[in-house]
Amino acid sequence: MESSKTSRKWLKNSCFIFASMIVIGVVYWFYQYNSGLAMAEDDSKNEAEAEETFEPFQGADLQFGEINVLLIGSDTRGEEGRSDALMIGHYNQTTNQVKIVSIMRDTYVDIPDYGKNKINAAFAFGGPELVRKTIKQNFDIDVNYYAIVDFEGFPKIVDLLAPNGIDVDIPYEMSYGIGMTLFPGEQTLHGDQLLAYVRFRHDRLSDFGRVERQQEIMTKVKDQISFQSLMNLPKILGVAEAYIDTNVDKKTILAIGKGLMDGHSNAVDTLRIPVASSFENKHVNVGAVLDIDLEKNKHELEKFLSSEDDVQVSKLEGVSS
C-alpha cells in the first residue's frame, strides 16, 4: 500500500516537473522571439513588398533529403534593386553536408522573357522566382526555397549565430565604400565590421575577392554553430521576421539547425560560378560582364552538387562506427 502511494506521488511530481518544463520552454521561446523582434526594429516590410511585386515562387519538391536554398543578398541602396550577392546553399539531410555556390553577379546569362543580361538583373526584373527560372534555364539546377537577406540585418544575425565573433586575416587596409576602415592583420570581427569585410570590393580582385570573403565568413559561421546558437534560435527567428524574406518553414529551419550541430557534420564545400578559366571579361550593351563557357560551368555545378561524394562519406562513417 505504501509502495502504491509512493508511486502515485512520484508520478504526480514527474508530471508537474514535465509540465513546468514545457511552460518554461514556451515562455523562453516567446521572450526570446520578441526580443529578436525588438532588435530588428520596425523593418518588416520586405516580405510584404516581395509578395506584392513578384510572382509566386515555384520551387521544386524535395528529393532524396537534399535541400537547395536560393540565397539573395539585397541592399535598398543597391543598383536598381538588383541582387548584391547570389548563392545556392545546398544541404544534405542524410550526411549533414553543406555546400555553397556563389554566382558572380556580372555573369552574363539568358534571363527568361528578358534576354541576355547580368544575372543580378533577374532579381530586379522578377524577384526570386525569376532568379530561380534563370538558374534552371542556364544551369539546369532547380532550388526548393529562397531567402532574401537584407544587409541591414546581417550584422545582428551573424552576432547571434557567432557571439564570439569571427577570426579573419585582413590582407590590406579596406575602407573605400564600406563606411569604416579595416586595418591589416589577424583580428576578430563582429557585426558591422563583418558586413564591411564581406562587401568590400575596391581592390585588384574586385568582385572575385568579395565572393571569396563571403564564402569564408559563411563557412566560419557554420563552424561556430553550437548549442548556444540553437538556444538563440527564437531570437534569430524574431530578427529574421524583419530582415529575411523566406519561404523556408520553421520546421525545416529547426531540422537543419539540429543537423549542423551534429558532430559528424563535414566542412563546408564551396564553388564559384564561373569556375576558373571558363569566362572572358567583355563589355556589352548592359555594361561589363563575365561571358562564360556555359556548358563547362553547367557541368562543374552539376558535379559539385552531386550527392555521390556525400553518399560515400556517409558509408565510410557507417563503417567506422
Side-chain angles (χ1 to χ4, degrees):
M1 188 68 177
E2 185 67 27
S3 176
S4 178
K5 287 182 179 180
T6 302
S7 298
R8 286 197 298 270
K9 184 177 180 180
W10 178 86
L11 181 61
K12 182 179 179 180
N13 290 339
S14 298
C15 290
F16 175 76
I17 293 172
F18 181 69
S20 298
M21 290 177 63
I22 292 177
V23 172
I24 292 171
V26 171
V27 171
Y28 173 81
W29 182 281
F30 183 79
Y31 174 79
Q32 289 285 82
Y33 181 80
N34 281 279
S35 177
L37 289 176
M39 285 178 60
E41 302 173 342
D42 188 23
D43 289 330
S44 56
K45 57 184 180 298
N46 296 338
E47 184 174 352
E49 288 181 356
E51 290 177 351
E52 292 175 4
T53 306
F54 305 138
E55 63 178 305
F57 191 78
Q58 303 293 325
D61 293 333
L62 293 178
Q63 292 185 347
F64 313 116
E66 297 183 7
I67 302 173
N68 287 330
V69 182
L70 181 62
L71 304 172
I72 301 172
S74 177
D75 184 358
T76 53
R77 300 170 300 173
E79 179 187 2
E80 299 175 350
R82 298 186 177 205
S83 56
D84 198 58
L86 180 59
M87 300 180 180
I88 299 173
H90 175 90
Y91 177 67
N92 187 309
Q93 292 179 299
T94 302
T95 64
N96 295 327
Q97 176 67 52
V98 177
K99 299 179 180 181
I100 297 174
V101 179
S102 294
I103 304 178
M104 303 284 291
R105 63 182 192 168
D106 290 340
T107 302
Y108 197 44
V109 295
D110 186 31
I111 299 177
D113 300 323
Y114 290 90
K116 298 283 284 187
N117 209 318
K118 301 178 183 183
I119 196 168
N120 73 331
F123 181 67
F125 295 158
E129 172 60 9
L130 185 57
V131 179
R132 183 196 68 81
K133 288 180 178 178
T134 301
I135 292 174
K136 175 67 175 177
Q137 177 167 307
N138 289 271
F139 302 104
D140 199 26
I141 296 294
D142 214 339
V143 295
N144 314 106
Y145 302 105
Y146 72 88
I148 306 170
V149 182
D150 187 329
F151 278 124
E152 288 185 18
F154 176 85
K156 295 182 174 69
I157 295 171
V158 172
D159 279 347
L160 287 172
L161 287 169
N164 296 322
I166 301 294
D167 295 330
V168 301
D169 187 2
I170 301 178
Y172 37 71
E173 182 177 305
M174 300 178 178
S175 58
Y176 186 79
I178 58 175
M180 68 176 67
T181 299
L182 299 177
F183 296 99
E186 296 182 2
Q187 51 196 290
T188 302
L189 301 184
H190 298 265
D192 291 332
Q193 295 173 316
L194 280 168
L195 178 60
Y197 180 72
V198 301
R199 301 206 66 192
F200 180 75
R201 63 186 181 96
H202 295 279
D203 61 0
R204 64 181 180 82
L205 295 176
S206 187
D207 210 33
F208 289 89
R210 181 166 68 163
V211 165
E212 288 181 6
R213 289 188 290 275
Q214 289 171 353
Q215 292 185 339
E216 173 195 0
I217 295 306
M218 291 193 70
T219 298
K220 289 181 176 179
V221 167
K222 182 265 178 186
D223 290 341
Q224 285 203 29
I225 290 178
S226 61
F227 180 75
Q228 182 179 359
S229 302
L230 190 61
M231 293 296 291
N232 278 334
L233 187 57
K235 187 180 290 187
I236 294 170
L237 293 176
V239 173
E241 286 289 330
Y243 295 114
I244 300 180
D245 168 29
T246 183
N247 66 337
V248 183
D249 58 272
K250 290 181 175 61
K251 180 180 178 181
T252 301
I253 292 174
L254 285 169
I256 294 175
K258 181 178 179 297
L260 291 179
M261 291 198 316
D262 190 296
H264 297 292
S265 182
N266 304 305
V268 176
D269 291 334
T270 61
L271 178 73
R272 187 202 70 209
I273 296 293
V275 297
S277 304
S278 72
F279 64 93
E280 293 182 55
N281 290 290
K282 289 187 177 180
H283 198 283
V284 296
N285 62 318
V286 296
V289 301
L290 301 174
D291 190 22
I292 69 172
D293 180 334
L294 189 59
E295 288 305 312
K296 182 174 182 178
N297 281 278
K298 180 179 175 180
H299 171 73
E300 291 298 324
L301 179 57
E302 181 182 7
K303 183 173 69 172
F304 178 74
L305 293 179
S306 171
S307 62
E308 291 181 4
D309 292 338
D310 296 342
V311 171
Q312 292 300 320
V313 170
S314 180
K315 287 181 178 178
L316 289 172
E317 288 178 348
V319 171
S320 63
S321 61

